[in-house]
Amino acid sequence: MSKEKAAARVRELRALIEHHNRRYYVLDSPEISDFDYDSLMRELLTLEALNPELASPDSPTQRVGALPLKTFSPMPHRVPMLSIDNAMNEAELRDFDGRVRKLLERDEVTYCCEPKFDGLAVELLYRGGVLVTGGTRGDGYTGEDVTPNLRTVKSIPLRIGGERPPELLEVRGEVVMYRKSFQELNRERSEQGEALFANPRNAAAGSLRQLDSRITAGRDLSFFAYGVSDAAALEASSQYAVLERLGGLGFRVNPEVRICKGIDEAMKFAISVQEKREALPFEIDGVVIKVDGIRDQDELGIKARSPRWALAYKFPPTQAVTVVREILVQVGRTGVLTPVAALEPVKVGGVTVSRATLHNLDEVRRKDVRKGDTVIIQRAGDVIPEIVSPVLSKRTGEEPEFAMPGACPVCGAPVIRDQGEEEEGGGQGIMFRCVNISCPAVVREQIFHFASKDALDIEGLGRKIIDKLMDKGLVKNAADLYTLTREDLLGVEGFAELSAANLLASLDRSRRTTLQRFLYGLGIPHVGTVAARDLAGHFRSLEQLTEAKAEEIEAVRGVGGVMAQAIRGFFDRGENRAVIGRLFELGLEVEPPRAGTPGDTSLSGKKFCFTGTLSRMTRSEAKEEVQSRGGNVVDSVSKSLDYLVAGAEAGSKLDRARSLGVAVLTEEDFLSMIGGV
Ligand code: IVH
């Protein structure tokens, strides 16, 4: 590249990066993915390195973040909070290792490898063991003093344990919001018609940057410690020892930390973390690889904006930019119309995405997504891909605003508007519904719901198969499933002896079910698994419930007027009663709730976690047993867990429970605890 071209590109990149810095750090409303941002930054770093005469103190490469906002008082960092260089691939990781080994004149270096949290970096200052100040990273030199907000974060110790706490200790770490809390928060916000947070990182940042700490207190934030400004304060000679000391002082430290001898081990570890990334309860965007020895770190020293002893191996993005080809409208189980964006296929977090839900009309309007828009999409954990926002600067002006169709896109029947309560799409406000109760889309979704895991759990009955069975006229409602024969199935495209036998076997297994599952499977509007459990526990038989008046139904704990009306309305409809009648004729058996319900609170307030393979029950049955006795089931092991139930081949959760001193039960122990053996 010629000098002039390089200079022009450098100017362009600086302006672009400053623009995106502002979108990200100041407005909390990024226009490009982190991955694309990092690519711009790396291009600029490379050009500046190749053309030293272009260096400039005001280049975005000369600072480590963005300036703090003006609203909080500044908190200077005694020791700057540096940033870390990124590696996007194995070669860059090996280059880093090569540099480190050369500088340390060593054949192999020991690394402390830690998942890289995707949250907000903060520093906590303790004097004499007491938390006095806490602030964000800001530009690395000065952050924002958000002490009152940080005090509301429960995993931040206000006073640190140990006999003689260091006189001064600056703890660094990340404030994150767990995926579950993030989803819960957004669900509440959508119910209240408030703007949704795009991802847990933004939710954590937005929650921490509140001028009113009572708002922060209502948000479920967590803090993980990953370092200190000065390891000498902890008399630690390695990064690993720093983490151990921090854990001992009462900080939450990521258990997924590994000492790796040499870069091969570090690389393997990074890949293993990447593989279980989605299973973690919080978001991470890479693995940080740190030279473990503190003396070695000191010897390596720092460069302009980052230390030479650390590198972040970044995972492929979970956000990406693509184009909306079309906004389609899907018809759900209750006839509700849901807009869905059909996208130019794009890879996000290793998966190709071509669709994203838009929930409802309000959501489309709030996000202002249109056909033809360039949009930022993201995948978070097991969540359906969603559109974060359109990139308004890419609009041509030709993009049409979205409108709901007047006729059902599946059966052509009229569409009515009603002021819905909470619906399957999770949204609220105006709902659009197909009036045709035998609309093929509605029937298909009802059958699919009836067969789902928490309902009759008919394995192998997916939407495509239901469509084929309906097209052939073999199935018009859930009861028809139990009339299917081997010959019927062999006549359906895609079925062979084995697959037909398998489906018939799953259908047969599903014939014996519980009242809770059956009630849930009926797909009565508003009746989810929790309500189904409470109703089953209260009425104890289907007859009792079908004969109950709306007021009696409403008297059940957790059941409101709208749900009670929906239940009454459901059983008052002749067609519904007919299908239920036929199900019983075809051999369906519904067990009343087992002993223990209702009102069994023997496990009240107890937290359980299951790991490994259970042999006598499925995970979801085990969960039901705990919940029906008032207990809770969580996904991760922490100090507050009461019992870890370990089935066969239990892995890291078991190790962690043991190290935390959490009680571990075998499956048999658990069964005898619930009186099941
Ligand atoms: S160590 C010099 N460890 O990554 C090294 N940082 O670019 C100082 N981050 O916003 C940081 N997880 O908050 C370190 N386990 C971890 C981390 C981590 C996430 C963040 C950090 C900062 C960014 C550095």
Side-chain angles (χ1 to χ4, degrees), residues 82-84 114-117 121 137 173-174 226 288 290 307 309-310:
L82 297 168
S83 122
I84 320 178
E114 311 166 15
K116 185 172 186 295
F117 299 103
R137 168 161 163 252
E174 200 97 341
Y226 55 62
V288 183
K290 302 175 186 172
W309 47 263

Side-chain angles (χ1 to χ4, degrees), residues 75 122-127 129-136 144-160 175 207-210 212-219 221-223 251:
M75 167 168 151
V122 301
E123 179 172 73
L124 307 170
L125 190 127
Y126 291 84
R127 280 192 195 281
V130 177
L131 174 67
V132 284
T133 335
T136 62
E144 295 163 329
D145 184 334
V146 288
T147 313
N149 298 348
L150 286 168
R151 284 185 195 285
T152 71
V153 178
K154 294 183 197 70
S155 39
I156 294 182
L158 298 180
R159 180 184 284 276
I160 48 183
V175 169
S207 303
L208 204 59
R209 290 232 221 75
Q210 290 289 336
D212 181 350
S213 63
R214 286 171 303 183
I215 299 179
T216 314
R219 305 277 172 83
L221 296 172
S222 303
F223 174 76
F251 290 94

Side-chain angles (χ1 to χ4, degrees), residues 217-460:
R219 305 277 172 83
D220 190 15
L221 296 172
S222 303
F223 174 76
F224 281 93
Y226 55 62
V228 284
S229 63
D230 178 10
L234 292 177
E235 291 158 14
S237 62
S238 68
Q239 165 65 13
Y240 196 78
V242 166
L243 295 176
E244 283 185 329
R245 287 277 282 139
L246 287 170
L249 290 172
F251 290 94
R252 188 179 287 185
V253 175
N254 194 333
E256 316 270 344
V257 170
R258 175 83 63 82
I259 285 292
C260 295
K261 289 204 190 312
I263 203 67
D264 288 336
E265 266 188 52
M267 188 67 215
K268 263 203 208 124
F269 175 72
I271 290 169
S272 76
V273 172
Q274 184 171 338
E275 277 163 3
K276 61 178 165 187
R277 172 186 196 183
E278 306 283 296
L280 293 177
F282 46 78
E283 295 199 337
I284 59 172
D285 59 353
V287 169
V288 183
I289 294 162
K290 302 175 186 172
V291 171
D292 192 44
I294 302 294
R295 275 229 213 117
D296 293 339
Q297 291 184 357
D298 292 343
E299 190 177 331
L300 289 163
I302 59 170
K303 300 181 288 176
R305 56 198 283 277
S306 50
R308 286 196 191 85
W309 47 263
L311 189 72
Y313 173 76
K314 293 289 279 276
F315 296 153
T318 45
Q319 278 196 351
V321 175
T322 187
V323 171
V324 177
R325 278 182 180 166
E326 192 128 31
I327 298 181
L328 306 169
V329 174
Q330 281 182 352
V331 184
R333 174 166 60 82
T334 53
V336 173
L337 271 48
T338 305
V340 175
L343 307 167
E344 287 294 341
V346 62
K347 272 212 155 184
V348 200
V351 175
T352 302
V353 168
S354 53
R355 274 174 183 232
T357 175
L358 287 163
H359 302 295
N360 53 45
L361 185 61
D362 291 346
E363 177 96 344
V364 182
R365 295 230 170 105
R366 187 162 54 230
K367 289 190 173 162
D368 188 20
V369 178
R370 303 179 188 191
K371 177 177 170 177
D373 266 344
T374 298
V375 289
I376 300 179
I377 65 158
Q378 70 179 13
R379 267 183 75 226
D382 46 5
V383 182
I384 318 158
E386 63 164 6
I387 293 182
V388 178
S389 62
V391 178
L392 295 179
S393 54
K394 291 270 175 82
R395 272 220 178 129
T396 61
E398 301 290 300
E399 297 80 3
E401 245 185 84
F402 174 75
M404 275 290 186
C408 171
V410 175
C411 71
V415 165
I416 51 158
R417 293 166 55 124
D418 61 26
Q419 188 70 42
E421 292 292 315
E422 208 193 331
E423 266 296 344
E424 58 196 279
Q428 217 191 9
I430 300 164
M431 292 290 168
F432 292 78
R433 205 186 287 272
C434 168
V435 294
N436 177 9
I437 56 161
S438 39
C439 169
V442 172
V443 174
R444 186 246 267 142
E445 289 303 311
Q446 278 170 350
I447 296 175
F448 183 70
H449 176 79
F450 183 78
S452 67
K453 216 168 171 46
D454 288 324
L456 284 260
D457 195 13
I458 306 173
E459 227 177 294

